[in-house]
Amino acid sequence: MAALDRVKVLVLGDSGVGKSSLVHLLCQNQVLGNPSWTVGCSVDVRIHDYKEGTPEEKTYYIELWDVGGSVGSASSVKSTRAVFYNSVNGIILVHDLTNKKSSQNLYRWSLEALNRDVAPTGVLVTNGDYDREQFADNQIPLLVIGTKLDQIPETKRNEVLTRTAFLAEDFNAEEINLDCTNPRYLAAGSSNAVKLSRFFDKVIEKRYLLRDGNQLAAIASVRSQNVVRPTQRWWETSTEHRGCSRKCAVESGWCSLPSKSTAD
């Protein structure tokens, strides 16, 4: 079997939000029975069928890099984490739906990964607001996943999910909320499974197909300018070019003769 192409996706979020449980569920389709703290980084692989069910279908490896630590770590720890941020193709931002601070810290996690060469100044998140311009030029696909959905009381669920919806909007990303101890939240055909597949497809396109896509778009543009159009007898209907032996479509801008041309 030929080696599969692969993409690298970071899984970022505060300690204790359930990143390891999420990665295990995504890659093994099983609940992680006894999760432990991640030291450094743990990598697992998911097999994904790009554009499944279409003529473009192709299988890829999705490497999920579960990065441990806290966003408030010392600079030496952040410097060590920066090694994991190289050659990233996508980012999954994970937060605990029962912990508002973990949601706010996603802004800082994303900035640390996307702008690892720039030291952020001041507090990036105060009252829940942040400078959207810092993410304006981001080309890396993002997905926001909220965990521990089962632990939100029914009376507060609508309030919490409304708040997290704005969070995903800030990142221009789709949102998935789930319980990592229940695989049904990612059951085939569910809205969450569709969102996840769409995110991985986007990551693959950015990594392998975007450049080719741009080239194809340029080629298509050139071809559209040189396409042989259906014969239209403009020279028979145009007053200026009546009797012209050339098939010049003067009225649609395709005439090769000067505007004051005469018949050949």
Side-chain angles (χ1 to χ4, degrees):
M1 179 179 177
L4 299 178
D5 290 327
R6 61 188 62 209
V7 293
K8 176 180 178 180
V9 175
L10 291 177
V11 181
L12 303 177
D14 286 357
S15 296
V17 298
K19 298 189 300 296
S20 297
S21 296
L22 173 65
V23 169
H24 190 79
L25 182 61
L26 292 178
C27 296
Q28 310 301 327
N29 196 31
Q30 295 178 347
V31 174
L32 183 59
N34 189 24
S36 58
W37 298 104
T38 300
V39 178
C41 181
S42 175
V43 182
D44 207 342
V45 176
R46 174 188 173 96
I47 297 178
H48 174 71
D49 291 323
Y50 170 77
K51 296 290 186 183
E52 186 176 9
T54 71
E56 295 85 3
E57 180 176 341
K58 182 180 177 181
T59 302
Y60 289 84
Y61 282 140
I62 308 291
E63 293 182 350
L64 295 172
W65 291 54
D66 173 13
V67 180
S70 170
V71 76
S73 302
S75 58
S76 59
V77 177
K78 291 183 179 180
S79 177
T80 302
R81 277 203 303 257
V83 175
F84 307 131
Y85 299 156
N86 294 324
S87 304
V88 173
N89 307 122
I91 299 176
I92 296 177
L93 298 168
V94 186
H95 64 114
D96 177 351
L97 293 168
T98 67
N99 183 345
K100 187 175 180 180
K101 184 64 179 294
S102 73
S103 303
Q104 293 179 339
N105 280 342
L106 292 186
Y107 299 115
R108 303 181 70 180
W109 275 109
S110 57
L111 285 174
E112 181 181 306
L114 296 173
N115 303 318
R116 60 186 181 278
D117 296 327
V118 180
T121 58
V123 179
L124 299 177
V125 178
T126 53
N127 60 349
D129 296 326
Y130 80 111
D131 183 5
R132 293 176 182 236
E133 294 300 320
Q134 297 184 78
F135 296 92
D137 298 327
N138 174 46
Q139 298 297 314
I140 297 178
L142 303 175
L143 177 66
V144 177
I145 295 184
T147 62
K148 306 183 184 180
L149 180 61
D150 59 308
Q151 298 182 24
I152 304 176
E154 286 292 339
T155 55
K156 294 185 177 180
R157 181 162 297 189
N158 187 58
E159 175 188 345
V160 171
L161 297 185
T162 299
R163 170 173 54 81
T164 60
F166 284 112
L167 177 73
E169 183 179 338
D170 283 344
F171 289 111
N172 190 29
E174 288 198 285
E175 176 190 35
I176 294 175
N177 296 313
L178 47 69
D179 167 17
C180 292
T181 65
N182 193 338
R184 73 178 178 85
Y185 282 98
L186 293 175
S190 66
S191 60
N192 285 343
V194 171
K195 290 178 183 179
L196 186 66
S197 180
R198 192 156 52 212
F199 168 70
F200 288 142
D201 281 357
K202 185 183 298 185
V203 171
I204 290 168
E205 288 169 353
K206 289 283 187 180
R207 170 65 178 85
Y208 290 104
L209 308 177
L210 182 60
R211 181 179 303 174
D212 294 339
N214 286 339
Q215 290 175 344
L216 290 174
I219 292 173
S221 177
V222 171
R223 287 178 176 173
S224 68
Q225 297 176 25
N226 295 282
V227 67
V228 177
R229 305 193 174 218
T231 301
Q232 302 181 53
R233 299 178 180 275
W234 291 101
W235 72 95
E236 296 178 351
T237 59
S238 169
T239 301
E240 184 178 1
H241 286 246
R242 182 169 294 164
C244 178
S245 61
R246 302 193 186 188
K247 295 180 177 61
C248 54
V250 64
E251 294 184 12
S252 61
W254 288 88
C255 180
S256 61
L257 296 179
S259 59
K260 297 298 183 181
S261 63
T262 58
D264 290 344

